[in-house]
Amino acid sequence: MSLSAKMITTCLAAVLIVILAFATLTRKDVLCVAVQWQDKQKPAAVQTQKHDEKTAVQRQERDEKPTAVQPQERDKKEKDEKPTAVQSQEKDEKPSALQSQEKDEKPTAVQSQEKDEKTVAKQSGCLFPLVVHIGPHKTGTTTFQTFLIKNAEWLWKEYGISVAANEGVKAAAYIPSTIRQQHGLQHNPKFADPKKMQELFQTIGTMPANSPVILSSEEFSTLGTAEWNDFKSQIAIQKRCVSIVVVHRRGLNLRASIWNEVNKNSISPDSFLISLLRRNGGEEEFQLKVLDTVRSIADSVEGVSYEYLREANYSIASFTVCNATLRLEGSKWELCKTSVELRMPGIQNPSAPPAAFDVVRLAYGLYTRQKAANYPRCRKKFAVRAYKNSAVLRVAEQMPTLCGSLNEAFSHVDELWYNRTGALKPEGREDPLCFVDEGSLKLEHWALLSTLLPPGCQIM
């Protein structure tokens, strides 16, 4: 083969190699594009299979790490499990701007007003109340009412308290007595007057609306639910709430005090035992009934024990003014209590000891016998009474007596009252009641009793 032929053959071989190489590269590119298109057309589950497999492998590799390393990583994971931004969001769940908006949602003036109203409500039991002291009877009501009348101006100047019905000690009775009359109930005709009642309501309406008012009458304790609702309808017009102050007296003491009141002006009083049997109870249950009634209608009720006040050496006046109306505490309460007690009048309706009633009863029995046996000389009427009678007290002090207590017969009802009000109970036992021991009377005792008889009727 000639040189030129060899050169031609060599060139052709080189061209053929180039063509084959180009064809191979082109086929590879075509195959890559086809594979990419095929992968793109696979479902999402298939597309993510490789990613999931990779994640599983990574998890397996992490779990295969030595145990000593795991707690450290777990602690770090628990600490850093939530991103800082998320942790901050949970800590400050509401953005600062929103918190500020909620904090300042109410204008400062409104916030101040609400704060002031809550303060007044806490001090007064309810906002600017009409504080109605309702007794009941024989719990120091007359003494308290006398204090209110005599110190109405001082209470206003010193504490901003208005006294309603201050034209007379018992003037407030016009309201409950008239309401009972209007409901067809038994009432005190002396204090049943619609005109007087309306005048009292109008007077209360003219009193400053931003200060408490005190109204006191034991006749309020005789009102039932319907009568109280009539009363409240009048007060509601004046936009005042009603706060009730009710006093409790131990059952036996109350019985004795009522017996005392009924018989203090009698020339022939009942014996206490006969009185118990004749009345057949009721005073203790009456106190519970009064309490339950006012609790159902009043905005607030303040109960206090008569015996507890006596043990603590302060009066219903200081309790009503300083505790129930002003809600004072600490040094302010001490100052208020002292100021009120200094202005308290003496006891307005003192009770005679039980033995004094026995003396009157025995003296009257002696009088009737003397009159029957010696009528020509014993003609004058017997006029001795136990109430405020120093001669009767002197004779009673020289009589043989028996003393005891029947409190256990009434204590269960007393406990119910204390439990329903939460009032503090007296610590000491009540004083025993002392009566004349009639079985131990001797001639000298009858002679003493005779000194109480009118001239001509006495034992010679």
Side-chain angles (χ1 to χ4, degrees):
M1 184 177 293
S2 62
L3 179 60
S4 57
K6 288 183 178 179
M7 290 178 63
I8 293 171
T9 302
T10 303
C11 289
L12 290 172
V15 170
L16 180 61
I17 291 171
V18 169
I19 292 171
L20 290 174
F22 178 79
T24 301
L25 290 174
T26 303
R27 181 176 179 273
K28 184 177 181 182
D29 290 341
V30 171
L31 289 173
C32 287
V33 171
V35 169
Q36 289 176 352
W37 179 86
Q38 184 179 2
D39 287 343
K40 186 175 182 181
Q41 298 304 312
K42 289 181 181 179
V46 177
Q47 291 178 12
T48 58
Q49 180 179 358
K50 292 182 180 181
H51 175 75
D52 293 342
E53 289 175 355
K54 182 178 180 181
T55 304
V57 171
Q58 290 176 341
R59 186 181 298 112
Q60 180 179 1
E61 291 176 353
R62 182 190 64 200
D63 294 340
E64 288 176 354
K65 290 182 180 180
T67 306
V69 178
Q70 289 177 355
Q72 181 180 357
E73 291 186 349
R74 183 177 66 247
D75 294 342
K76 186 176 185 301
K77 178 185 176 182
E78 291 174 353
K79 182 177 180 180
D80 300 329
E81 189 171 7
K82 297 176 182 177
T84 305
V86 176
Q87 291 175 343
S88 176
Q89 180 180 359
E90 290 183 349
K91 181 177 180 181
D92 302 321
E93 192 169 11
K94 298 177 182 177
S96 299
L98 181 58
Q99 290 176 338
S100 176
Q101 178 183 354
E102 290 181 349
K103 183 177 180 181
D104 300 328
E105 191 171 76
K106 298 175 182 177
T108 306
V110 176
Q111 291 176 338
S112 176
Q113 179 183 356
E114 290 183 349
K115 182 179 179 181
D116 291 342
E117 287 182 353
K118 289 178 181 178
T119 302
V120 174
K122 181 180 179 182
Q123 291 176 347
S124 305
C126 54
L127 193 60
F128 308 132
L130 173 64
V131 180
V132 187
H133 165 249
I134 67 171
H137 291 275
K138 309 310 299 177
T139 56
T141 54
T142 303
T143 302
F144 174 48
Q145 290 153 6
T146 302
F147 162 81
L148 290 176
I149 299 305
K150 290 185 175 181
N151 295 278
E153 185 177 352
W154 174 78
L155 286 169
W156 170 248
K157 290 181 177 179
E158 189 71 17
Y159 297 111
I161 296 174
S162 299
V163 177
N166 59 13
E167 65 274 14
V169 173
K170 298 295 180 181
Y174 281 106
I175 293 177
S177 291
T178 305
I179 291 176
R180 285 182 63 84
Q181 180 191 48
Q182 293 174 342
H183 280 257
L185 302 174
Q186 184 179 357
H187 58 277
N188 187 340
K190 180 180 178 181
F191 295 105
D193 187 335
K195 183 178 179 180
K196 288 275 190 180
M197 181 179 73
Q198 288 305 318
E199 288 176 354
L200 283 173
F201 279 130
Q202 291 170 6
T203 299
I204 294 171
T206 61
M207 291 178 172
N210 60 349
S211 67
V213 177
I214 296 179
L215 182 68
S216 174
S217 174
E218 55 270 49
E219 294 298 325
F220 278 108
S221 65
T222 66
L223 299 185
T225 303
E227 297 82 72
W228 271 113
N229 285 331
D230 280 0
F231 173 80
K232 284 195 69 178
S233 68
Q234 292 286 338
I235 301 304
I237 297 173
Q238 302 166 13
K239 297 182 179 180
R240 286 191 183 274
C241 55
V242 176
S243 180
I244 303 293
V245 175
V246 57
V247 186
H248 175 269
R249 194 166 183 178
R250 278 173 169 165
L252 183 62
N253 288 351
L254 183 60
R255 289 281 194 98
S257 187
I258 292 175
W259 168 72
N260 190 303
E261 181 69 23
V262 170
N263 291 279
K264 68 181 184 181
N265 288 312
S266 172
I267 61 174
S268 180
D270 287 334
S271 72
F272 184 60
L273 179 59
I274 294 298
S275 176
L276 288 178
L277 296 175
R278 185 171 292 165
R279 294 183 65 85
N280 194 26
E283 283 79 9
E284 312 77 41
E285 290 77 7
F286 172 74
Q287 292 189 96
L288 282 176
K289 182 180 178 181
V290 169
L291 175 64
D292 291 340
T293 299
V294 297
R295 287 175 68 190
S296 69
I297 61 94
D299 296 286
S300 66
V301 177
E302 297 291 338
V304 66
S305 161
Y306 176 87
E307 286 81 12
Y308 174 81
L309 289 178
R310 295 188 68 180
E311 284 185 0
N313 196 30
Y314 67 103
S315 64
I316 185 60
S318 57
F319 176 83
T320 302
V321 172
C322 308
N323 294 48
T325 303
L326 298 176
R327 303 277 175 169
L328 299 177
E329 297 178 353
S331 59
K332 291 183 178 180
W333 176 84
E334 289 283 354
L335 180 60
C336 177
K337 172 186 175 293
T338 302
S339 299
V340 170
E341 297 300 337
L342 287 173
R343 289 168 172 79
M344 282 297 293
I347 297 175
Q348 300 298 296
N349 194 12
S351 298
F357 292 88
D358 289 340
V359 164
V360 173
R361 178 172 52 81
L362 292 169
Y364 180 74
L366 180 58
Y367 165 78
T368 58
R369 290 193 294 271
Q370 288 292 94
K371 185 176 180 179
N374 194 9
Y375 178 73
R377 290 195 306 161
C378 185
R379 292 184 176 181
K380 291 187 178 181
K381 292 183 178 180
F382 182 84
V384 176
R385 293 169 175 80
Y387 185 60
K388 294 184 178 180
N389 194 319
S390 57
V392 170
L393 293 178
R394 284 196 300 269
V395 172
E397 290 171 356
Q398 301 178 64
M399 294 287 111
T401 57
L402 284 174
C403 301
S405 173
L406 299 173
N407 187 55
E408 295 302 322
F410 308 99
S411 59
H412 66 290
V413 184
D414 293 339
E415 288 296 323
L416 286 175
W417 195 96
Y418 298 140
N419 292 338
R420 291 180 190 180
T421 59
L424 295 173
K425 296 187 289 186
E427 295 181 358
R429 299 179 64 85
E430 64 179 314
D431 295 333
L433 299 175
C434 296
F435 303 92
V436 172
D437 181 6
E438 298 180 32
S440 299
L441 292 178
K442 298 179 180 178
L443 183 59
E444 60 266 28
H445 299 126
W446 287 108
L448 281 171
L449 291 169
S450 174
T451 62
L452 299 174
L453 275 54
C457 299
Q458 298 174 355
I459 297 175
M460 302 302 295

